[in-house]
Amino acid sequence: MSDDLQQRIYPEDERLREVSEDPDRRMTRAEWEREESLARQAAHKRHEQVAHDREVQQDYDKHHRHKRRNWRPILFWAAVGIAVLLLIFFIGYLPRHNRNKRIQAEAQQRERENPRVDVVKVSRTAAPGQLTVPGTTSSFTDAYVFARANGYVKKRFVDIGDHVRKGQLLALIDAPELDQQVDQAREQLRQAEAQEAQQQAQLDLSRVTWERWRTLVAKGVFSRQDGDQRETDYRTQLATVASSQRNVESYRANLLRVIALQSYERVTAPFDGVVTQRNADVGALVGSNGAAMSAPNPTTSSSNGGTAGVASANNSGSSGSTSTGAAPTTGGAQGGAIFVISQIDTLRILVSVPEGYATSVRKGMNAAVFVQERMGGPPVQGTVTRTADSLDQNTRTMLTEVDIDNRGGKLFPGMYTVVSFQQVRGEAPLAVPGDAVVIRNDRTTLAVVDPTNHVHMTPVSIGRDYGPSVEIVSGLRDGDTVITSVTDDVREGAVVRPQLMQRSENDATGKGAQAQTHQTPDSGPNQYGDQSIVNSQAESTNNQGKRGQNNGTSQQGQNVQQHGPQQKADGGKSSGR
């Protein structure tokens, strides 16, 4: 466009050409040059004016061309986009929204409906006349031999596993300061005896002097005052001799005391037994003041032969002792017991007898003891030697001691055993599935359904925990209906639809328990209490769990087909224990 403007000829250009090619002859050169310059300037100004007008016109045309743009294609594609969005909205969102509303409505309807729960009838298992309880063997007597004298172990004569006799020398303790104390006490006694002899000589002189003065006073040679003075001196010396004699006796008693302490350098056995721990070796520093700082850590029942910790161990659900820290058998801490000696000719087993059988267990009755290491062989016969004649308020059990003869040394303290009492006629306890027990308001409760299908959260007291089932001591009655799996929908006063779970024939009649009374009970750590109760309850609980799982799976499938995803979510049962 700029080239076209430059090639166009205007009147000013014609004037410039005429002045340049055909000048006026009448003008001088200076006039001609001025005329040409003016014509040239006019032509250049004309071209610049035309170019400026063209630029203004172009800007004006460009601005008005934008205003006159065609909006029809833009409006068309915008309408197409809006139509597509509306189509997506009607096809995708509305059905989904309606489905969610329907599911929400069904969920609200399910909430208004009564939840379906699985229940069982609580009943007592027939007692087979046998009670089987776990226990742990312990030595008849344990003696923790401490050092009575401060010193170093000079020589050791026994080690763990050695059988010792009463009074047998176990170790020698080197205590030089104690030996020096004996020598010092002996010399003090000799010094006191010498002083006594000196005072006795003074007494003899005072007695002779007084007898002489008494004769002279009687003859009038000396006054009675002088005679009384001599008599007083004699009696004073007599008291001094008596005091020196008491002093000699005191030093002799002190000598006997340090000699007795010196005898503790010889560590001897208090009774016949076997060394089960040795916590010091030659050169170890031992002392009488360190016994309280490092109390013994026994591997059996308790350090002093007590029974306080045995009851908790029998009811804790684990085999053996509940202590998690094992005591070292050799090389223990200095200042504690040097040796531990146990009597294992007779072993005692402390077991916890349930309340229902407490009156049937009597002193002198026989008991069969089964040990895991001797499974397959005949049981060890034991005898009930004593009972606590009192029940533990926490576990509702009575502590009972069973002694077994172990003179052959085939059994050891600390073995896990299963004690079976024969000819016991007790009332079998109530047992419920373990999942039925829940904690509500910090109390152990069961969800009991009354005849009107109302739920009552009943506080109960549990006894022994068998794993699949739990023994109920109080708070539950025979024949009550208990919910096996407690969910959030199960609460006090709620109305439910109970579904009774069928129980096995052996569980209901107790025939399976009767069949097992003549068999060797399992000595594993999961068998507790009455063997029939444990086996029947475990079998029943396992069958119930399998049927519940199958029923839950089929029920979920039916709910999915009939009522949609929300029914499937409601079909699962969660444990509320």
Side-chain angles (χ1 to χ4, degrees):
M1 184 66 66
S2 60
D3 294 339
D4 184 36
L5 294 177
Q6 292 178 359
Q7 294 176 2
R8 185 174 296 181
I9 298 174
Y10 297 97
E12 288 80 0
D13 295 331
E14 292 293 336
R15 175 62 180 168
L16 176 62
R17 186 177 60 81
E18 291 177 359
V19 172
S20 299
E21 294 179 358
D22 189 15
D24 190 0
R25 301 294 182 182
R26 293 174 297 180
M27 290 187 301
T28 60
R29 186 174 180 80
E31 292 178 350
W32 176 78
E33 289 179 355
R34 186 179 60 182
E35 186 69 20
E36 183 182 15
S37 175
L38 293 174
R40 189 179 298 279
Q41 290 178 0
H44 180 68
K45 186 175 181 180
R46 178 64 177 177
H47 281 278
E48 288 182 352
Q49 183 66 32
V50 171
H52 176 70
D53 294 342
R54 179 57 60 87
E55 289 179 359
V56 172
Q57 184 65 33
Q58 289 178 352
D59 292 340
Y60 176 80
D61 295 341
K62 183 177 180 181
H63 178 68
H64 282 271
R65 186 168 59 251
H66 281 289
K67 288 186 177 181
R68 294 191 302 269
R69 178 176 296 175
N70 189 6
W71 291 95
R72 295 178 61 185
I74 298 176
L75 295 177
F76 173 77
W77 288 112
V80 171
I82 293 175
V84 171
L85 291 178
L86 292 176
L87 182 63
I88 294 175
F89 176 78
F90 285 107
I91 295 178
Y93 175 75
L94 287 182
R96 181 181 179 86
H97 178 67
N98 295 332
R99 184 172 64 254
N100 291 338
K101 290 179 62 177
R102 184 174 64 257
I103 292 174
Q104 186 176 3
E106 292 176 355
Q108 293 177 356
Q109 182 180 0
R110 290 288 296 176
E111 291 180 357
R112 291 190 296 268
E113 292 179 354
N114 300 332
R116 178 180 297 177
V117 294
D118 296 331
V119 297
V120 294
K121 287 285 186 179
V122 180
S123 61
R124 298 184 186 273
T125 305
Q130 178 182 6
L131 172 64
T132 303
V133 291
T136 304
T137 59
S138 60
S139 56
F140 192 78
T141 304
D142 289 327
Y144 293 85
V145 182
F146 290 88
R148 189 65 175 84
N150 298 327
Y152 295 91
V153 178
K154 183 178 181 180
K155 194 172 184 180
R156 174 178 54 81
F157 299 97
V158 295
D159 208 335
I160 57 173
D162 293 343
H163 292 265
V164 296
R165 295 291 182 181
K166 182 179 180 180
Q168 179 178 342
L169 183 61
L170 304 179
L172 287 177
I173 299 177
D174 185 15
E177 65 278 6
L178 189 57
D179 298 336
Q180 294 298 325
Q181 291 178 8
V182 173
D183 295 339
Q184 181 182 4
R186 185 175 288 110
E187 294 301 327
Q188 289 177 349
L189 176 60
R190 292 174 181 176
Q191 181 181 3
E193 290 175 348
Q195 292 178 357
E196 181 188 5
Q198 181 182 2
Q199 296 297 332
Q200 185 65 38
Q202 292 290 337
L203 177 62
D204 295 339
L205 178 60
S206 297
R207 184 176 59 254
V208 172
T209 302
W210 178 67
E211 290 177 354
R212 290 174 182 175
W213 276 81
R214 183 176 56 182
T215 304
L216 294 177
V217 169
K219 292 180 180 182
V221 178
F222 295 104
S223 63
R224 292 183 61 85
Q225 178 65 30
D226 293 337
D228 293 341
Q229 182 66 35
R230 296 305 174 183
E231 183 180 4
T232 302
D233 293 342
Y234 167 72
R235 295 185 181 281
T236 301
Q237 188 62 32
L238 185 64
T240 302
V241 171
S243 176
S244 62
Q245 291 176 352
R246 301 289 84 77
N247 195 21
V248 169
E249 293 178 0
S250 174
Y251 280 109
R252 183 176 289 109
N254 182 60
L255 176 61
L256 295 178
R257 182 184 66 84
V258 294
I259 290 176
L261 291 177
Q262 190 181 31
S263 66
Y264 289 121
E265 294 179 354
R266 296 170 52 87
V267 181
T268 58
F271 49 75
D272 297 346
V274 61
V275 179
T276 57
Q277 291 187 30
R278 191 259 305 163
N279 298 324
D281 212 335
V282 176
L285 176 63
V286 295
S288 58
N289 58 350
M293 293 186 297
S294 58
N297 190 2
T299 56
T300 56
S301 60
S302 59
S303 61
N304 54 1
T307 59
V310 179
S312 62
N314 290 339
N315 295 281
S316 62
S318 62
S319 60
S321 176
T322 57
S323 176
T324 57
T329 57
T330 58
Q334 296 178 351
I338 303 178
F339 300 100
V340 177
I341 300 177
S342 303
Q343 284 184 346
I344 61 173
D345 292 342
T346 300
L347 295 180
R348 66 174 69 187
I349 303 174
L350 297 174
V351 297
S352 299
V353 177
E355 181 180 2
Y357 299 91
T359 57
S360 301
V361 178
R362 300 176 303 276
K363 181 179 179 180
M365 69 181 302
N366 296 327
V369 180
F370 297 90
V371 185
Q372 186 175 4
E373 288 74 9
R374 298 186 58 183
M375 289 304 298
V380 181
Q381 296 300 322
T383 305
V384 178
T385 56
R386 60 184 56 85
T387 61
D389 292 336
S390 177
L391 296 179
D392 188 350
Q393 295 182 358
N394 296 325
T395 60
R396 301 296 179 183
T397 57
M398 181 180 67
L399 191 63
T400 303
E401 179 181 340
V402 178
D403 291 351
I404 57 177
D405 188 5
N406 190 40
R407 283 176 291 186
K410 295 182 179 180
L411 301 179
F412 305 102
M415 284 185 172
Y416 176 77
T417 60
V418 176
V419 182
S420 179
F421 296 95
Q422 306 295 334
Q423 298 179 358
V424 178
R425 289 290 184 265
E427 184 181 12
L430 298 174
V432 298
D435 293 339
V437 181
V438 295
I439 305 298
R440 294 290 174 87
N441 298 326
D442 296 334
R443 300 186 65 182
T444 305
T445 57
L446 290 176
V448 181
V449 181
D450 61 7
T452 60
N453 295 338
H454 285 79
V455 177
H456 300 283
M457 305 304 294
T458 305
V460 295
S461 298
I462 63 174
R464 293 168 296 175
D465 189 350
Y466 304 129
S469 60
V470 178
E471 178 183 308
I472 303 301
V473 178
S474 62
L476 194 64
R477 295 176 299 178
D478 191 3
D480 286 345
T481 304
V482 178
I483 299 177
T484 59
S485 182
V486 181
T487 61
D488 294 338
D489 295 334
V490 178
R491 56 188 180 274
E492 179 66 28
V495 180
V496 296
R497 292 179 296 168
Q499 181 179 359
L500 184 63
M501 299 181 63
Q502 296 180 359
R503 307 184 68 176
S504 62
E505 181 180 357
N506 292 338
D507 189 19
T509 62
K511 295 180 180 180
Q514 289 284 358
Q516 294 187 5
T517 55
H518 301 290
Q519 300 178 1
T520 302
D522 189 0
S523 61
N526 294 328
Q527 299 297 330
Y528 293 92
D530 192 332
Q531 193 68 19
S532 65
I533 297 176
V534 175
N535 294 338
S536 60
Q537 289 292 343
E539 181 181 359
S540 174
T541 304
N542 293 334
N543 294 334
Q544 291 172 4
K546 293 180 181 178
R547 287 193 297 270
Q549 183 178 2
N550 296 333
N551 293 336
T553 304
S554 61
Q555 183 67 27
Q556 288 179 4
Q558 296 174 1
N559 291 336
V560 170
Q561 296 177 2
Q562 298 176 3
H563 301 289
Q566 185 64 28
Q567 298 292 341
K568 181 178 179 181
D570 295 336
K573 299 295 183 180
S574 61
S575 175
R577 186 179 179 183

